[in-house]
Amino acid sequence: MIRYTPLAASLPATVPFVGPETQERTMGKGFVARLGANESMFGPSPLAIAAMARGAQDVWMYGDPEVFELRTALAAHHGADLENIVVGEGIDGLLGYLVRLIVGPGDAVVTSDGAYPTFNFHVTGFGGVLHKVPYRGDFEDPTALLDRAHAVGAKLIYLSNPDNPMGSYLDAATVEAMIEGLPDGCLLILDQAYADLAPQGTAPKVAHDDPRVIRFRTFSKGYGMAGLRVGYGIGAPELVQAFNKVRNHFGVGRIAQAGALAALADQDWVTFVRAQVVAARDSFGAVGRANGLVPLASATNFICLNCGQDGAFARRVLQELGLRGIFVRMPGVAPMDRCIRVSLGDAAALAAFEAALPEALKAARE
Amino acid sequence: MIRYTPLAASLPATVPFVGPETQERTMGKGFVARLGANESMFGPSPLAIAAMARGAQDVWMYGDPEVFELRTALAAHHGADLENIVVGEGIDGLLGYLVRLIVGPGDAVVTSDGAYPTFNFHVTGFGGVLHKVPYRGDFEDPTALLDRAHAVGAKLIYLSNPDNPMGSYLDAATVEAMIEGLPDGCLLILDQAYADLAPQGTAPKVAHDDPRVIRFRTFSKGYGMAGLRVGYGIGAPELVQAFNKVRNHFGVGRIAQAGALAALADQDWVTFVRAQVVAARDSFGAVGRANGLVPLASATNFICLNCGQDGAFARRVLQELGLRGIFVRMPGVAPMDRCIRVSLGDAAALAAFEAALPEALKAARE
């Protein structure tokens, strides 16, 4: 009776990620440690919290649909111009707009098998055809991505660097070389969600006006405001302007703009968080090692712990951790799914993880 | 070089609304009274403000992608089931998702000429063909909407009740009769953004599972949280479920869910706001009358003031008000554009409007 478009009718009713709240409702109890969604347990800058509380007083007003102040500050932060910056409802929202602008039914898109499911959700949602290349070890493979893009005439390539879900990264020169190898008319989406937490030298030098690349950044990870929903893109003015054709113009609200602006101004906080994350990589890795798991090198606020067997075993470890109040996730594709993926938390979360892991492993082995 | 879809390439780079901040930047000074966007100057419940401030502490976590607590509370509020409720990034966001689900290139959609531009933006943005029928006086015309829908085989009809931009309303029985007259396979979008401020008897009785209608409500108007970006739809479970195929699952953030939940629980505040709005209709109307303008009856938090001449004159009044620090908007289509549209504000805003209006009218007449 409801006449959906043929495309909409054909889409599955799946979701990219099941939220921890859903699992909590199923279990009938809450998680003790929330280490599955790569949120920042170190939280946002106190100055940003104060700005959001003040923003709540002003929330009777719509946010500026041009997001002028925040875009101006972001442009200054990156040495770009206002016309290079688009702000949206998280990278998720921006990926949706970008795919809508570029991808129609049958258009080819290349990504890595096991990379970000929400990007795939958008491509499928607009009728695009996903071509997936395997990871090379625990790294995305630029050569394979480019080769496939040339072969299928891709309009988009997706690359996250540092990588999610593996935590690995390609150095700047590798990504810069990849950009030079892009097929004509193929846009590289460089998802830099974790760039604020990565070592020096991860971010490639890209001219802000380069029409071959759009870089996405977020306030969800290093800035610790996943629940605020503010991401941004840096790209050529023509492409940035094109978002205005399709975006929800008032979609980034008053509190969101105020919080992001204050967070951006407090780079000391990001430095503090980065130090916490570096320390937590060691301490969470040590807990893994003490239990016979092998931590993978990470340039992000999470680590993959190699459980040493197949995906079925790692999934049991994940489930047993969940039953013990520890929310984690894991890569979805072999052989990366030998790992569980643990977001790096504070001392209390570490203690909870340390307490639960031996029992969870024992149960998973039974 | 960037290969947009043919549809995206064809879209204009227009925006549905220019924000007041853009005008302020152009003028080089701020507005004294912000009476153009139908925001609620009476603000949100203090309990909601407190909940948002608390939410800022938790904003390191993503919001629940199922929006379970808020949807549960909304279902209880409306006597519906959880499966009848979809929450999104304002009605604007939900309209975008709905149009995407239903409207493909060439599909027919019917609305009133002069009704909500953002809906038209979405229809055009997905390649739909808009068929517009005139208002009947200052009212949307159900008969004309239905006749056109039958004639063109429309998949969607848009009706806002109470109406924006005119403030008029159709009684419940009229809308109920309209639903009975819908063509098979034509979905009625009933935009009830202003329903919380309307007189008793405005909201039609609709079975929550009725697949012929989806009703949209918002926390932007009566609840006073336009800058939070929370709207919701009430509809048949199948249609509500379909939003999961395309929506930004994490798009309604932590603070947004917390604020909306607290606001919904404080119905006394909505009652208080409603009383303020009713009183302000009289006081703003009286200022109009004292200056020779005729206020139209309103069921919303704004009033149209008939300036007694054509659209060009009303536009001059609007501009002269703007120069004097008063932000208002106006209907875009004749003959409704004989009016300016003034959002109802507090005593300070009333005083500012009262001070500016005589001079603005004088300047507009020169």
Side-chain angles (χ1 to χ4, degrees):
Chain A
M1 187 152 185
I2 299 170
R3 290 191 286 163
Y4 301 102
T5 68
L7 174 59
S10 76
L11 295 174
T14 53
V15 301
F17 289 104
V18 175
E21 294 82 3
T22 305
Q23 299 177 50
E24 290 175 329
R25 286 189 290 272
T26 303
M27 295 190 301
K29 61 176 183 178
F31 285 118
V32 176
R34 191 172 155 120
L35 301 173
N38 300 344
E39 299 156 333
S40 177
M41 199 170 281
F42 308 106
S45 158
L47 297 175
I49 293 176
M52 289 182 275
R54 283 195 305 276
Q57 305 273 350
D58 294 334
V59 82
W60 63 273
M61 292 180 275
Y62 288 101
D64 174 12
E66 293 191 11
V67 199
F68 184 86
E69 278 190 83
L70 178 58
R71 285 171 60 225
T72 301
L74 287 167
H77 181 72
H78 290 286
D81 292 328
L82 185 66
E83 290 70 25
N84 295 117
I85 309 289
V86 57
V87 173
E89 304 93 331
I91 293 179
D92 284 359
L94 289 165
L95 284 171
Y97 296 136
L98 180 69
V99 170
R100 179 175 163 193
L101 286 169
I102 307 276
V103 177
D107 284 344
V109 175
V110 171
T111 186
S112 302
D113 193 14
Y116 196 43
T118 305
F119 176 69
N120 300 351
F121 169 79
H122 289 308
V123 172
T124 304
F126 286 102
V129 178
L130 280 165
H131 299 268
K132 298 179 181 178
V133 302
Y135 276 61
R136 188 180 179 86
D138 296 316
F139 295 80
E140 294 197 61
D141 184 345
T143 305
L145 288 164
L146 287 177
D147 287 350
R148 187 66 66 88
H150 280 280
V152 300
K155 296 177 91 173
L156 288 178
I157 299 178
Y158 175 89
L159 176 74
S160 74
N161 195 44
D163 177 65
N164 178 23
M166 299 314 292
S168 57
Y169 75 95
L170 307 173
D171 65 22
T174 301
V175 178
E176 287 160 11
M178 181 179 175
I179 292 168
E180 295 306 320
L182 283 166
D184 283 347
C186 178
L187 180 72
L188 175 65
I189 302 174
L190 186 55
D191 184 340
Q192 299 185 304
Y194 297 96
D196 298 306
L197 302 165
Q200 291 282 338
T202 313
K205 286 191 180 57
V206 178
H208 298 306
D209 291 352
D210 191 330
R212 298 173 298 176
V213 190
I214 185 163
R215 289 168 285 165
F216 286 125
R217 309 282 291 245
T218 182
F219 287 91
S220 297
K221 305 300 178 188
Y223 292 97
M225 304 193 296
L228 195 62
R229 307 286 64 219
V230 187
Y232 61 101
I234 312 172
E238 177 208 323
L239 180 58
V240 163
Q241 174 66 16
F243 281 81
N244 286 327
K245 298 178 170 190
V246 298
R247 71 187 179 94
N248 183 2
H249 285 268
F250 290 85
V252 181
R254 201 93 192 171
I255 300 173
Q257 294 188 36
L261 192 62
L264 184 69
D266 190 358
Q267 289 297 316
D268 288 348
W269 182 260
V270 183
T271 302
F272 164 76
V273 170
R274 201 178 294 121
Q276 299 293 309
V277 165
V278 168
R281 276 178 207 149
D282 289 342
S283 52
F284 276 78
V287 168
R289 265 199 206 89
N291 287 275
L293 310 186
V294 180
L296 273 55
S298 168
T300 65
N301 69 344
F302 60 87
I303 52 169
C304 281
L305 296 174
N306 179 353
C307 297
Q309 300 188 34
D310 63 3
F313 177 70
R315 193 157 285 108
R316 285 204 299 279
V317 176
L318 177 147
Q319 286 161 349
E320 295 293 341
L321 282 169
L323 292 173
R324 288 161 181 81
I326 312 293
F327 167 52
V328 300
R329 287 199 173 117
M330 61 181 287
V333 170
M336 293 98 81
D337 67 355
R338 70 195 187 282
C339 299
I340 57 171
R341 192 194 70 178
V342 183
S343 308
L344 299 166
D346 59 13
L350 177 67
F353 180 64
E354 187 167 20
L357 184 59
E359 293 175 35
L361 285 167
K362 183 159 177 281
R365 287 187 184 114
E366 279 167 4
Chain B
M1 184 155 187
I2 298 171
R3 292 191 285 162
Y4 301 102
T5 67
L7 175 58
S10 77
L11 295 175
T14 53
V15 300
F17 288 103
V18 176
E21 294 83 4
T22 305
Q23 299 177 50
E24 290 175 329
R25 285 189 291 271
T26 304
M27 295 191 300
K29 61 176 182 177
F31 285 117
V32 176
R34 189 172 156 118
L35 300 172
N38 301 342
E39 298 156 334
S40 177
M41 199 170 280
F42 309 106
S45 157
L47 298 174
I49 293 177
M52 290 183 275
R54 282 195 305 277
Q57 306 273 350
D58 293 336
V59 82
W60 63 274
M61 291 181 276
Y62 288 100
D64 174 11
E66 293 192 11
V67 200
F68 183 86
E69 278 190 83
L70 177 57
R71 286 171 59 224
T72 300
L74 287 166
H77 181 71
H78 289 287
D81 292 328
L82 185 66
E83 290 70 26
N84 296 118
I85 309 289
V86 56
V87 173
E89 303 93 332
I91 293 178
D92 284 1
L94 289 165
L95 284 171
Y97 296 134
L98 181 68
V99 170
R100 179 174 163 194
L101 286 169
I102 307 276
V103 177
D107 284 342
V109 175
V110 171
T111 186
S112 302
D113 193 16
Y116 195 44
T118 305
F119 175 69
N120 299 351
F121 168 80
H122 290 308
V123 171
T124 305
F126 286 102
V129 178
L130 280 165
H131 298 268
K132 297 179 182 179
V133 302
Y135 276 61
R136 188 179 179 85
D138 296 316
F139 295 80
E140 295 197 60
D141 184 344
T143 304
L145 289 163
L146 286 178
D147 287 351
R148 187 66 67 89
H150 279 282
V152 300
K155 296 177 91 173
L156 289 177
I157 299 178
Y158 175 88
L159 175 74
S160 74
N161 194 44
D163 177 67
N164 178 22
M166 299 313 292
S168 58
Y169 74 96
L170 307 173
D171 64 22
T174 301
V175 178
E176 287 161 13
M178 181 179 175
I179 292 168
E180 294 306 320
L182 284 165
D184 283 348
C186 177
L187 181 71
L188 175 66
I189 302 173
L190 186 56
D191 184 341
Q192 299 186 304
Y194 298 95
D196 298 307
L197 302 164
Q200 290 283 335
T202 313
K205 286 191 181 58
V206 178
H208 298 307
D209 291 352
D210 191 330
R212 298 172 298 176
V213 190
I214 186 164
R215 288 167 286 165
F216 286 126
R217 309 282 291 246
T218 182
F219 286 91
S220 296
K221 306 301 177 185
Y223 291 97
M225 305 194 295
L228 196 61
R229 305 286 65 216
V230 187
Y232 60 101
I234 312 171
E238 178 208 322
L239 181 57
V240 163
Q241 174 66 15
F243 281 81
N244 286 327
K245 297 178 171 189
V246 298
R247 71 187 179 93
N248 184 2
H249 286 267
F250 289 86
V252 181
R254 200 94 191 169
I255 299 174
Q257 294 187 36
L261 192 63
L264 184 69
D266 190 357
Q267 289 297 316
D268 288 349
W269 182 260
V270 183
T271 303
F272 164 78
V273 169
R274 201 179 294 123
Q276 299 292 309
V277 165
V278 168
R281 277 178 206 150
D282 289 342
S283 52
F284 276 77
V287 167
R289 266 199 205 89
N291 287 275
L293 310 185
V294 180
L296 273 54
S298 168
T300 65
N301 69 344
F302 61 85
I303 52 168
C304 281
L305 296 175
N306 179 353
C307 297
Q309 300 188 35
D310 62 4
F313 177 71
R315 193 158 284 107
R316 285 203 300 278
V317 176
L318 178 147
Q319 286 161 349
E320 295 293 341
L321 282 169
L323 293 173
R324 287 161 181 80
I326 312 293
F327 167 53
V328 299
R329 287 199 173 118
M330 61 181 287
V333 171
M336 294 96 80
D337 67 355
R338 69 194 188 283
C339 300
I340 56 171
R341 193 195 68 177
V342 183
S343 307
L344 299 167
D346 60 12
L350 178 67
F353 180 65
E354 187 168 20
L357 184 59
E359 293 176 33
L361 285 167
K362 182 159 178 282
R365 288 189 183 112
E366 279 167 3

